[in-house]
């Protein structure tokens, strides 16, 4: 086989890994939300007492997921960044035996993927905070502030 065909296949496979990770994450989110809605609907329909309902609903919440909700996003962006770095090495005709340049380009791609992940996380955190403020509604003013 020609080296360009092998390189192209490697680039396509490495980029598809990140895309599959993101697609899998979307499927997991959808199925988890669907299951939670079904449990909550069953609780309402069957008139379950508050303590049992709390146990049923909190069972679906994973504490480790709450501690780092963006770990899958970070991994997917890192894989995509590595794939882009490998694509650049292929376009620059660098090989692993050529020296450190090959690995530096892949590391730069990984770093860019993690940097993009960081910006996406901060955007999503900001959006979540704004959504929470909107859901809480306007806060009542203190009486001392009104007198001033």
């Amino acid at each position: 086989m020609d080296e360009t065909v092998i390189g192209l296949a490697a680039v396509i496979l490495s980029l598809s890994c990140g895309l599959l990770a993101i697609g899998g994450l979307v499927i997991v989110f959808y199925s988890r939300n669907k299951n939670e809605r079904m449990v909550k609907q069953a609780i309402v329909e069957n008139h379950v007492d508050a303590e049992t309902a709390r146990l049923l609903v909190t069972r679906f919440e994973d504490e480790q997921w709450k501690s780092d909700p963006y770990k899958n996003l970070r991994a997917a962006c890192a894989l995509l960044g590595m794939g882009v770095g490998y694509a650049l090495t292929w376009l620059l005709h660098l090989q692993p035996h050529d020296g450190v340049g090959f690995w530096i380009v892949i590391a730069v791609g990984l770093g860019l993927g993690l940097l993009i992940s960081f910006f996406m996380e901060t955007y999503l955190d900001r959006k979540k905070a704004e959504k929470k403020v909107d859901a809480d509604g306007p806060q009542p003013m203190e009486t001392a502030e009104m007198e001033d």
Side-chain angles (χ1 to χ4, degrees):
M1 277 181 131
D2 193 0
E3 286 185 22
T4 57
V5 173
I6 293 173
L8 184 61
V11 168
I12 290 172
L13 288 175
S14 63
L15 288 175
S16 65
C17 286
L19 293 174
L20 286 174
I22 292 173
L25 184 62
V26 168
I27 291 170
V28 167
F29 273 133
Y30 178 74
S31 65
R32 175 178 270 189
N33 289 339
K34 183 179 176 185
N35 288 341
E36 286 180 5
R37 278 185 302 218
M38 287 174 32
V39 167
K40 289 177 184 178
Q41 184 179 3
I43 287 171
V44 170
E45 289 174 354
N46 296 328
H47 305 293
V48 176
D49 64 294
E51 184 64 29
T52 307
R54 186 182 61 80
L55 289 173
L56 287 172
V57 171
T58 56
R59 202 168 133 199
F60 284 106
E61 297 175 0
D62 186 11
E63 292 299 323
Q64 183 181 12
W65 176 257
K66 281 185 167 183
S67 67
D68 190 12
Y70 301 117
K71 64 183 175 184
N72 292 332
L73 172 70
R74 199 175 303 123
C77 287
L79 286 173
L80 281 172
M82 286 178 65
V84 169
Y86 187 78
L88 286 175
T89 60
W90 181 71
L91 290 173
L92 297 172
H93 302 291
L94 294 174
Q95 299 297 322
H97 62 273
D98 288 340
V100 181
F102 175 82
W103 301 107
I104 288 176
V105 174
I106 291 180
V108 167
L110 174 65
L112 288 175
L114 290 174
L115 185 66
I116 290 170
S117 159
F118 170 75
F119 286 124
M120 289 174 74
E121 288 176 28
T122 52
Y123 172 76
L124 291 172
D125 282 341
R126 193 176 333 122
K127 190 174 176 182
K128 183 189 279 186
E130 289 173 0
K131 189 175 182 180
K132 185 177 180 183
V133 168
D134 290 342
D136 290 342
Q139 299 297 325
M141 293 179 55
E142 296 289 330
T143 57
E145 292 177 357
M146 293 174 64
E147 292 175 0
D148 289 335

